[in-house]
Each structure stands twice: as structure tokens, then as C-alpha cells.
Amino acid sequence: MDSRLWWLAVLPVLAFRRGSHLAAGGFLSAPKTSVLGIIGDRVLLPCQVGSVPIPEDFSIRWTFHGQSQRIPVSSYDGKDRREEPDERYQGRAEFFHRDFRAGNVSLLLRNVQSSDQGSYSCEVSFQDVSREVLVELEVAAIGEAPSVILRSPEKQDLGLSCRASGWFPRPELLWLDRHGKVRRESMTTTATVTPGGLFSVEASLRIQPGSDLEISCRILNRRLSASRESRIRIHDVFLPSISQWLRIFLAVLFLNMALISVVFCQIRAKIQFKKRFGQMKAELDFWEARSHAVPVALDPEARPLDLGDAQDPLQVPVLVARDALGAGKCYWEVELGRERDWALGVLRDGPSLAGPHSWDSRHSRHCWALRASQGQLFSSGSGSRLLREQSRGLSALGVFLDSEEERLEFYDVEQRDLVAGMSLGAGEDPSGKFFPFVSQGEEGTLRIRSVPMPVPL
Ligand SMILES: *[C@@H]1O[C@H](CO)[C@@H](O)[C@H](O)[C@H]1NC(C)=O
């Protein structure tokens, strides 16, 4: 075999082998390991033509190899650009024109973005020969230092959370103890991607009282072998005491609340019971009194009666019952009609009196009455006494006389409620007889009302 022919066969093999360690393309070389670019910084994508000096007539084309498409980054063909770069790279990619002659066809990429990560091809063409080599770009970013936040205690544990943003690629988050060892707690780190393509990470940790209270949170970027750390120290007495005091405080508060509510409920129940019981009793008394209803007939002849006292005499014309009331309990009702000023009650005749027709002002001390005047309600017995500011709302009054108990009571018939009660104090003359009376109003509408027959209880 001809030795020259042998060389022809071997040459391509040698060229191939030489090209393999210079990267594909033979006369083009690029780094075999990927290039690291810091986000926001500039990065050099190296590409070198091996055979120098290179001819005058040549062209360079850098292309980004995306998922499915090829994106033009920058190109040069001696005079003007061969194709427009993609807008992603517009104004960011630059050649070293002065170093072309030395075979330096590297590309400088400014303001690196997270989306710049990937494969770039450097293609150099001379006349009819074209070679291409790939450059791998990795990007990374160191974000802000983590912030450790102490959250409100859950049960008796304290919650910590750690948060950091602006990292690329997704960093690791580690909780470390005081000795710098990784804590064993199982934890989940959540990561979110910001619109700029950077990562935010967050993780939380629960610490029990008595455990190591010096804790750090470390954010680790393995690509850059860089980390940032924040340390928190919880004072030893802080954690147990806060929960203990909180518990004591809450217990005391709860006890107080319980006591207060119990007392409050009792008071309320008492008040309500008293009110209800009072109402019930008054109503029962009313029905009891009414069960002693007696007929009363008035003498149509009006007589003056002094209802005032020694200092303030008050003459009122009254109509007196024809017949004295029987012994024991008696009840009758008086309709007030439209009368605004009125008086009604009982008179007692003494042994000095000749009969029921001889009433005069001298006997006012034997008179017990309820009197309304200018909207006010008075009791007249031993002296006048204001009972209520308001006498309106009364339409009928029931008068109950218990001569055994020596009591006179007035009931509001509508409300079935006691309006006034007074002691007769008839000790001086227990034998006297009682006569009902009503004032003779201007309109003459005050009248005795017939009470239905007592309902047997
Ligand atoms: C090319 O030129 C740039 C700028 O002078 C330099 O930084 C770089 O090292 C040179 N060589 C290569 C292989 O990129």
C-alpha cells in the first residue's frame, strides 16, 4: 500500500480525535464545563478559533438552543449583521472585534437573566467551511439573607418561620442548632417563583420548651457553594415562662369569667324571680280581693269632705254609700271615666255621729282615700302623701277593705296590680262602720261598677 494513501486514511481519524477534546468542530474550541453566570451580572461565553490568524472573510453566529426553537443571540459577518438578534438579547450581547484576528470570537452577555440558562452554539464560517461548538451556560443568584420570624405559640410550642427570596436556582433551606448541625425535624419547604424567575423559599419549625433555643436558618445555593444565614436566640426563661404565665393568666381569667357569669346569672334570676313573683302575688291578691265583691249604692246627695290636712285643707264634694259595709272583707270597683281629678276611699262613722247623713269636715281623720290631682296620685289617710307622678292610665280602681286586718288596698283593675295600700289604724274605735265614697267630679262620670260574681277558686 502507498504510504501517502495510508496518511489520507489516518488524517480524518486524527482530526476527529483532536476535535473531540477541543469540542466538536476541529478548529473551534470552547470550555468543556459549563459557564456560570450571576444573574444581573455579565458573563463571557468563550469561543476560540484554533487556526490563527483567521481569514478576513468570515462570519460568527451565536444561537440559543431553547426547548424547541433556536433563538438568534448575536452574529457578525464582516460588514453588517447577518440576522437581527432576538429581543431577549437585544443590547445585551457583544463581540470583541479587536480580538477577532487572534481567533477570539467569544460573546459577552450583559445583565444575565434566569431565562438565559441553557445551551449556546458558537458557529464560525469561512467561505465554504462552517464549524459549530456548544457552550453551556448556568446561571445562579444569591438572594437576600433569610428572615426568621417568631410566631405566636401553638399550644406550648413556639413556632418559627424562615423566609428568603431572590435566589436561583431553588436553594436549600436548613435549620441548624447552636453547634451548626442540621436539626432533624421533618419540615417542608415551600418555594415560589417570582415573575423575575427567582425563587422564594419558606419553612417553619416548632420548638418545644427546654429544647435548644439557639437556632439558625441557612439558605444554601449549591451551584455557587454560597449560603446566607440568620440566627435567632430565644432566652432560656422566655419560652417556658411565657406559656406558664399565659396559662395561669388564662386560667385566672377563665375562673373570673365563670364566677362573674354565675353571680350575674344568679342576680338576674333573683331579680326576674322577684319581679315575676311580685307580679304573680299582686295578681293573686287582686283576684282574692275581687272574690269579696259587694254591691255598693251611692247616695246622690253630695257632701263636702276635707281630704287635706291641718296645714293644707282640701274640700272635696263627695257621694257616700247609703249603707255601711259589712264586717270582714269587702271589695268594690269604681270607674274613673274621663275624670282627671278625683278621690275615692272609705269613711268611718264614729259613735258621736248620728248617722251617715251628717258627714262634715270634722271627720276627715276618719277618712282614707286615693286622690288624683293634676296628673299626680296621692294617698290621703294620716296626711297626704304623693304616690306617683303619673295618675293617667288608670281607668278603673278596685277598693278592698279588710276590716279585720285594718287594711285598705287600691287595685288597678286593668293591670290587676296593687296601686296603694294603707293601714286604717282604727284601734281607737274598732266598732265603727265603713262607708265607701267617691268624689263628685265636674263631669259626674265617676261611678260604682258592678263586679261579676266571684269565681270560686
Ligand atoms: C477574548 O477576549 C476577552 C476580552 O478581551 C477576554 O476576556 C477573553 O479571555 C478572550 N479569550 C477567550 C477565549 O474568550
Side-chain angles (χ1 to χ4, degrees):
M1 188 198 257
D2 193 306
S3 61
R4 281 187 298 176
L5 278 174
W6 183 84
W7 273 108
L8 277 171
V10 159
L11 214 71
V13 177
L14 283 177
F16 172 73
R17 288 185 67 187
R18 181 174 147 82
S20 68
H21 84 263
L22 281 175
F27 62 85
L28 261 185
S29 67
K32 288 199 180 108
T33 56
S34 53
V35 174
L36 186 65
I38 303 297
I39 289 171
D41 217 335
R42 51 171 70 182
V43 69
L44 184 79
L45 300 177
C47 190
Q48 181 70 42
V49 179
S51 50
V52 285
I54 57 170
E56 295 255 337
D57 189 18
F58 74 102
S59 65
I60 317 160
R61 183 161 63 178
W62 280 88
T63 311
F64 177 71
H65 295 241
Q67 300 284 39
S68 55
Q69 82 274 44
R70 295 175 153 232
I71 297 163
V73 178
S74 192
S75 56
Y76 173 85
D77 84 338
K79 299 159 201 101
D80 53 322
R81 289 183 171 181
R82 202 184 272 173
E83 61 188 315
E84 272 295 302
D86 188 83
E87 63 176 296
R88 272 168 62 175
Y89 294 98
Q90 219 141 41
R92 291 203 293 132
E94 200 175 282
F95 288 114
F96 302 99
H97 292 268
R98 274 188 288 165
D99 300 323
F100 280 162
R101 297 290 296 173
N104 187 338
V105 290
S106 304
L107 189 75
L108 184 76
L109 195 59
R110 288 205 178 86
N111 188 21
V112 171
Q113 313 282 305
S114 61
S115 54
D116 291 343
Q117 180 166 284
S119 296
Y120 291 80
S121 64
C122 166
E123 188 189 341
V124 180
S125 309
F126 304 100
Q127 287 116 12
D128 50 352
V129 191
S130 182
R131 291 289 184 273
E132 184 183 290
V133 73
L134 285 179
V135 177
E136 203 71 36
L137 175 67
E138 280 192 332
V139 301
I142 299 176
E144 57 187 29
S147 48
V148 179
I149 302 147
L150 188 66
R151 287 176 302 142
S152 57
E154 299 165 27
K155 290 171 189 169
Q156 60 191 98
D157 296 353
L158 266 191
L160 287 180
S161 68
C162 178
R163 195 180 294 163
S165 55
W167 292 73
F168 193 93
R170 179 182 164 153
E172 279 175 56
L173 189 151
L174 304 167
W175 291 101
L176 309 172
D177 65 14
R178 142 184 27 200
H179 308 293
K181 283 186 182 165
V182 177
R183 288 176 68 107
R184 290 246 191 93
E185 283 93 346
S186 65
M187 59 146 203
T188 50
T189 305
T190 56
T192 49
V193 182
T194 58
L198 301 177
F199 284 89
S200 292
V201 285
E202 183 169 3
S204 49
L205 178 75
R206 275 173 73 166
I207 42 171
Q208 280 135 23
S211 66
D212 185 16
L213 296 173
E214 198 175 313
I215 291 157
S216 21
C217 175
R218 181 182 287 173
I219 309 292
L220 175 65
N221 186 328
R222 288 211 183 268
R223 185 170 288 175
L224 293 173
S225 298
S227 68
R228 297 186 81 171
E229 198 172 311
S230 289
R231 183 169 292 257
I232 187 168
R233 263 181 89 177
I234 302 156
H235 199 276
D236 222 15
V237 297
F238 179 70
L239 182 61
S241 69
I242 192 174
S243 55
Q244 250 169 37
W245 279 110
L246 196 68
R247 247 179 289 159
I248 291 166
F249 169 74
L250 285 177
V252 168
L253 187 74
F254 178 77
L255 265 175
N256 270 337
M257 296 254 293
L259 266 176
I260 287 166
S261 56
V262 163
V263 167
F264 183 72
C265 282
Q266 278 185 348
I267 289 173
R268 241 176 61 154
K270 258 187 192 167
I271 289 172
Q272 277 189 350
F273 176 75
K274 270 194 176 168
K275 220 169 128 184
R276 287 234 182 128
F277 185 74
Q279 276 174 358
M280 254 163 58
K281 192 180 176 300
E283 192 161 339
L284 278 174
D285 286 349
F286 166 76
W287 289 117
E288 214 280 318
R290 211 174 193 233
S291 70
H292 298 283
V294 293
V296 170
L298 295 175
D299 186 15
E301 193 190 334
R303 299 148 215 275
L305 181 70
D306 194 350
L307 287 172
D309 46 38
Q311 288 88 34
D312 187 15
L314 179 70
Q315 293 279 334
V316 176
V318 296
L319 304 174
V320 185
R322 268 193 211 115
D323 308 307
L325 293 166
K329 293 166 181 171
C330 300
Y331 175 88
W332 65 97
E333 275 177 11
V334 182
E335 263 177 39
L336 301 174
R338 294 193 305 276
E339 212 74 57
R340 298 196 56 196
D341 289 0
W342 45 260
L344 58 94
V346 291
L347 291 165
R348 189 172 58 186
D349 66 343
S352 60
L353 296 172
H357 300 282
S358 59
W359 305 111
D360 61 33
S361 58
R362 285 180 297 136
H363 305 114
S364 62
R365 63 198 168 94
H366 296 294
C367 159
W368 297 267
L370 196 64
R371 180 167 60 87
S373 174
Q374 289 164 354
Q376 293 177 319
L377 203 61
F378 298 90
S379 68
S380 300
S382 42
S384 260
R385 194 160 59 86
L386 179 67
L387 287 175
R388 277 197 216 168
E389 286 293 343
Q390 193 56 265
S391 69
R392 253 166 273 168
L394 290 170
S395 62
L397 280 169
V399 188
F400 178 61
L401 175 79
D402 188 344
S403 50
E404 283 158 22
E405 296 282 327
E406 298 190 329
R407 265 194 76 75
L408 184 69
E409 286 172 345
F410 297 90
Y411 287 92
D412 179 347
V413 177
E414 296 295 319
Q415 300 294 319
R416 300 179 296 279
D417 197 10
L418 185 71
V419 175
M422 51 191 84
S423 173
L424 298 173
E428 52 183 272
D429 182 19
S431 68
K433 295 221 163 140
F434 291 97
F435 293 83
F437 76 87
V438 298
S439 60
Q440 189 195 36
E442 279 168 21
E443 312 213 9
T445 49
L446 223 66
R447 63 182 190 88
I448 299 288
R449 165 157 116 173
S450 67
V451 179
M453 279 306 290
V455 184
L457 287 173

